[in-house]
Amino acid sequence: MARLPNRLKTWTALAVLGLGALAQPGHASLMVDTATGPAVQSTIGNPSAFLDQAESLQRKDHPKFVQMLERLHRETPKLSPRDEWRLRYLDAWEVMFQGNYAKSEEALREIIAKATDDAIRFRASSLLLMNLGWNQRYEEAFTLANRLASELPSIKDPMTRFLVLMNLSQMLDLAGQTDLAIKYARMMDEAIPAGENRCLPLNLLVAALYNGKRLHSASPEVQEGIDACTAAQQPVATNSIRLVLGSLYIDEKQPAKALALLDRIEPTVRLNRFYPHMLSAQAERAQALSMLGNDSEARKAGLAAAAMAHQGEISEWLMVAYEVLYEVEKRQGHTAAALVYHEQYAAQDKGYLNDISARTLAYEMAQQHLHVQRLETDALAKQNSILRLQQALNTKAVETGRLYIALLLMMLVSIVLWLFRIKRSQLRFKKLSCVDGLTGILNHQTFIAEASRALHLTEKKHGKACLIFIDLDHFKQINDTHGHAVGDDMLKHVVTLCRPLLRTSDLFGRLGGEEFGILFVDCGREQGMMLAERVRRTIEASPGHCEDLAVALSASIGMAATDMSGYAMQPLCRDADAALYRAKRGGRNRVVTDNGDEKHAKRA
């Protein structure tokens, strides 16, 4: 089974830290567990103390925290203005915990805009940062993270500083800045405020190390984090690390250990009903059962995960679930069902790739905006200095005035040069967003857009064009046998082979995974068939080499031409995709067109 990219796996763990960390620790709780003592002893005669007690239970006993919120709303005691904002903040926290991000965002923005207490506004900003990240509004999230980072030196309150460091670690980890994420996590661990513990810093450290591929199941940080969060009575945060440990077991081909771990934490996952944990636990269970060969139970777990999903949701765990379902159905010989699940898996995979690109671009844009703002501030400061200098120089000789003009021109040229460099950087980032980061060819979105534009121009001049979809045969086996690094080298090798075969007018792009697309412009059906066959033969005849390892490659190719499919991109893609599936079902390593023509070669 293909290994899921680390970063998405731990974003669930990171986000739950944002929810847990915003609770105010350190208040003594008068509530006793009903299994070991009397029920809640506190009353709402003192609303502020009651809010302190509820807030202290956010991570330690979430069900009781919810009960106390309901009691506050049911009995409606008279609250001070500060306590009213605290209650609104706790309501927004719970709404976000349940997954209603839009409603939570609305409440948080009102708190940030209107609350008079700085601590509450900072906590609302921290929670809003998590909300924006979960909602994939990355540019807003990174902009907010930059603002919090700029305010960090002026934050003297230990708890507030602790929260800002937490958010910086999380957001930089999300942006792929692993070293900085680890640095901020360690800074948190060295500056734990009174009443806090090591649970949150170790959660962030484990997540950053896992994302940086610097963690394994026996790493001491994993057990340290589990012990710290267990001692702190924070089951949701504890489960976050345990689910990362389950992923490590699966990555290390130890499915039995992963399954035993999932069985052990299942009661607490169900009790807290935190949606990302429920979904990820089911997906991990499906992976482990599939690796153990228990197809029946793996199918049940995969279907349970898929049934939890919200309509239109793109999730790394849904991608895992659909991949397991696809592989199970394929092993069972249920071709039709396997194809359906493969399409759903492919849709989730493409959504993941788009999300990675969006995150990277958003982070770079946020950094550029911050750079521009600093330059604008510096430019205003320089202009003010120039004005003061001008007033002083007005009383001096003409030579001094000429010197001032020269200095002014030099500053203006410097500012123009800086702005030119910024614009050039922005254009470079825009170009990078159109290119696949691994292979250097057009990414999926740009290829579709450019191909549609080329087809429109071809239709105007009554020309012809052919579209081919290329899928590398048994590519998953290469990843499983030799590792993803070799698989990546093979993808780049295929691109290197295909580029010399293309004309300057042809378009070449990566559609996702091991699938590529080529649009042959001003090309008839017969010529397109010949070019597609040349691509297939070239791939088959040129095995990839990595160190001393030779990896045999072949490709299945589906072709559609404008003479039958028309010039619209959607039907042309559909026909090429259908031809590709026929090529794969027909034995792979062949070229099949949308009218059934076929060329193929048997493997050596």
Side-chain angles (χ1 to χ4, degrees):
M1 181 178 296
R3 178 178 175 179
L4 182 68
N6 290 346
R7 192 161 312 286
L8 281 178
K9 276 192 172 182
T10 55
W11 170 235
T12 294
L14 291 175
V16 72
L17 297 183
L19 293 176
L22 295 173
Q24 174 65 44
H27 299 296
S29 175
L30 299 178
M31 182 176 289
V32 181
D33 194 316
T34 55
T36 58
V40 179
Q41 298 176 8
S42 64
T43 67
I44 310 186
N46 185 346
S48 182
F50 194 85
L51 281 167
D52 289 344
Q53 183 184 2
E55 205 167 357
S56 70
L57 293 173
Q58 278 177 303
R59 287 172 287 157
K60 295 181 180 179
D61 195 336
H62 180 257
K64 290 183 180 179
F65 165 71
V66 174
Q67 292 175 7
M68 296 184 74
L69 283 188
E70 292 174 349
R71 186 175 172 190
L72 279 166
H73 287 288
R74 184 172 63 250
E75 300 185 21
T76 59
K78 183 174 178 58
L79 300 176
S80 67
R82 181 178 184 276
D83 286 340
E84 285 183 1
W85 287 114
R86 289 181 67 194
L87 180 57
R88 289 192 186 189
Y89 161 73
L90 294 176
D91 286 337
W93 190 98
E94 178 59 25
V95 167
M96 182 173 168
F97 189 90
Q98 297 299 333
N100 191 338
Y101 306 122
K103 184 177 179 181
S104 176
E105 179 186 352
E106 182 181 355
L108 290 171
R109 290 194 183 277
E110 184 178 6
I111 294 170
I112 295 169
K114 297 181 180 180
T116 56
D117 187 276
D118 288 341
I120 294 175
R121 288 193 297 104
F122 269 115
R123 294 178 191 177
S125 298
S126 298
L127 191 57
L128 178 61
L129 187 59
M130 288 297 94
N131 192 314
L132 295 172
W134 266 11
N135 215 24
Q136 298 181 334
R137 291 158 61 184
Y138 298 125
E139 189 169 349
E140 294 178 66
F142 292 133
T143 300
L144 178 56
N146 285 335
R147 181 172 66 80
L148 290 172
S150 67
E151 295 173 347
L152 183 63
S154 64
I155 299 175
K156 305 303 180 184
D157 177 67
M159 175 56 70
T160 303
R161 187 178 181 84
F162 186 73
L163 296 177
V164 172
L165 287 170
M166 177 197 70
N167 283 292
L168 289 173
S169 179
Q170 294 178 83
M171 295 311 298
L172 288 169
D173 195 11
L174 183 63
Q177 305 298 309
T178 302
D179 289 333
L180 287 175
I182 292 174
K183 172 186 174 181
Y184 283 122
R186 295 194 185 280
M187 288 175 65
M188 284 181 67
D189 198 28
E190 294 169 358
I192 299 175
E196 261 298 343
N197 53 71
R198 301 187 69 201
C199 176
L200 297 178
L202 288 175
N203 255 285
L204 291 168
L205 181 60
V206 167
L209 290 171
Y210 183 70
N211 288 343
K213 299 182 180 180
R214 307 175 193 178
L215 197 70
H216 50 81
S217 60
S219 297
E221 293 86 357
V222 177
Q223 192 58 48
E224 285 180 22
I226 292 175
D227 292 341
C229 292
T230 302
Q233 300 180 20
Q234 296 180 24
V236 177
T238 306
N239 285 342
S240 293
I241 301 182
R242 283 173 171 162
L243 286 168
V244 172
L245 178 58
S247 294
L248 287 168
Y249 283 146
I250 291 173
D251 294 343
E252 296 168 3
K253 310 300 182 185
Q254 301 183 70
K257 287 187 177 182
L259 199 58
L261 175 64
L262 292 170
D263 289 338
R264 191 162 65 251
I265 69 174
E266 181 180 9
T268 61
V269 171
R270 287 185 177 180
L271 176 64
N272 289 284
R273 298 193 61 78
F274 185 51
Y275 169 71
H277 283 184
M278 293 190 294
L279 179 61
S280 57
Q282 283 292 350
E284 281 191 13
R285 182 178 294 277
Q287 279 184 300
L289 289 166
S290 178
M291 292 174 70
L292 290 170
N294 191 339
D295 285 352
S296 176
E297 293 300 320
R299 182 190 289 110
K300 289 181 182 179
L303 290 173
M308 291 181 190
H310 306 125
Q311 185 175 4
E313 179 180 359
I314 296 295
S315 164
E316 68 276 16
W317 295 114
L318 285 179
M319 182 169 68
V320 168
Y322 285 129
E323 184 181 18
V324 170
L325 291 170
Y326 161 69
E327 292 183 351
V328 168
E329 297 296 349
K330 185 174 67 172
R331 284 197 296 266
Q332 297 294 323
H334 304 152
T335 305
L339 287 176
V340 171
Y341 288 131
H342 186 273
E343 289 177 358
Q344 292 170 317
Y345 162 73
Q348 293 288 332
D349 183 50
K350 289 177 182 178
Y352 155 72
L353 292 174
N354 290 338
D355 188 63
I356 290 292
S357 299
R359 265 188 268 162
T360 303
L361 182 60
Y363 176 76
E364 297 296 344
M365 290 301 294
Q367 293 301 104
Q368 286 299 313
H369 290 162
L370 181 63
H371 192 194
V372 170
Q373 290 173 358
R374 288 174 178 172
L375 285 178
E376 290 176 348
T377 302
D378 291 342
L380 289 174
K382 290 178 180 179
Q383 290 175 1
N384 290 334
S385 298
I386 291 170
L387 290 174
R388 289 193 296 269
L389 180 61
Q390 184 178 14
Q391 292 174 354
L393 292 177
N394 284 337
T395 59
K396 294 185 179 181
V398 175
E399 293 80 6
T400 306
R402 290 176 179 173
L403 178 61
Y404 158 71
I405 293 172
L407 291 172
L408 179 61
L409 288 175
M410 290 176 63
M411 286 188 173
L412 290 176
V413 169
S414 176
I415 292 171
V416 170
L417 289 175
W418 273 108
L419 293 176
F420 173 76
R421 291 179 62 185
I422 292 170
K423 186 63 177 179
R424 186 174 60 182
S425 297
Q426 290 175 337
L427 292 174
R428 181 167 61 88
F429 289 130
K430 182 178 180 181
K431 180 180 179 181
L432 289 175
S433 69
C434 298
V435 175
D436 177 64
L438 176 65
T439 60
I441 61 177
L442 298 177
N443 60 27
H444 180 273
Q445 183 178 359
T446 306
F447 174 78
I448 294 299
E450 292 295 325
S452 298
R453 190 176 299 111
L455 287 170
H456 181 66
L457 295 175
T458 302
E459 182 180 15
K460 280 187 174 181
K461 60 183 182 181
H462 305 291
K464 297 179 180 180
C466 294
L467 175 67
I468 68 170
F469 281 178
I470 305 169
D471 189 276
L472 300 183
D473 297 329
H474 306 295
F475 189 78
K476 180 179 178 300
Q477 294 181 3
I478 296 176
N479 282 333
D480 291 344
T481 305
H482 306 295
H484 287 271
V486 174
D488 290 346
D489 289 340
M490 295 305 102
L491 293 176
K492 292 186 281 189
H493 175 65
V494 169
V495 170
T496 302
L497 293 175
C498 292
R499 269 180 167 155
L501 306 178
L502 305 181
R503 302 164 300 173
T504 56
S505 60
D506 297 333
L507 297 175
F508 188 20
R510 184 182 179 194
L511 304 180
E514 66 272 19
E515 189 172 340
F516 301 90
I518 300 176
L519 179 69
F520 295 119
V521 183
D522 295 325
C523 174
R525 177 179 294 274
E526 293 183 1
Q527 185 183 5
M529 191 70 174
M530 180 180 65
L531 292 172
E533 177 63 12
R534 184 184 301 171
V535 169
R536 187 199 64 76
R537 288 199 306 267
T538 300
I539 293 174
E540 182 184 30
S542 305
H545 294 275
C546 184
E547 297 180 354
D548 296 330
L549 180 66
V551 181
L553 297 171
S554 67
S556 299
I557 301 177
M559 189 190 84
T562 54
D563 58 358
M564 289 185 64
S565 303
Y567 294 90
M569 192 64 188
Q570 185 175 3
L572 202 62
C573 288
R574 182 181 61 243
D575 292 344
D577 196 54
L580 173 61
Y581 273 107
R582 288 199 297 274
K584 293 167 71 175
R585 288 197 299 268
R588 306 179 189 271
N589 193 18
R590 62 192 63 217
V591 178
V592 175
T593 69
D594 52 356
N595 66 357
D597 290 343
E598 177 176 332
K599 290 186 179 182
H600 66 277
K602 295 182 179 179
R603 291 181 181 273

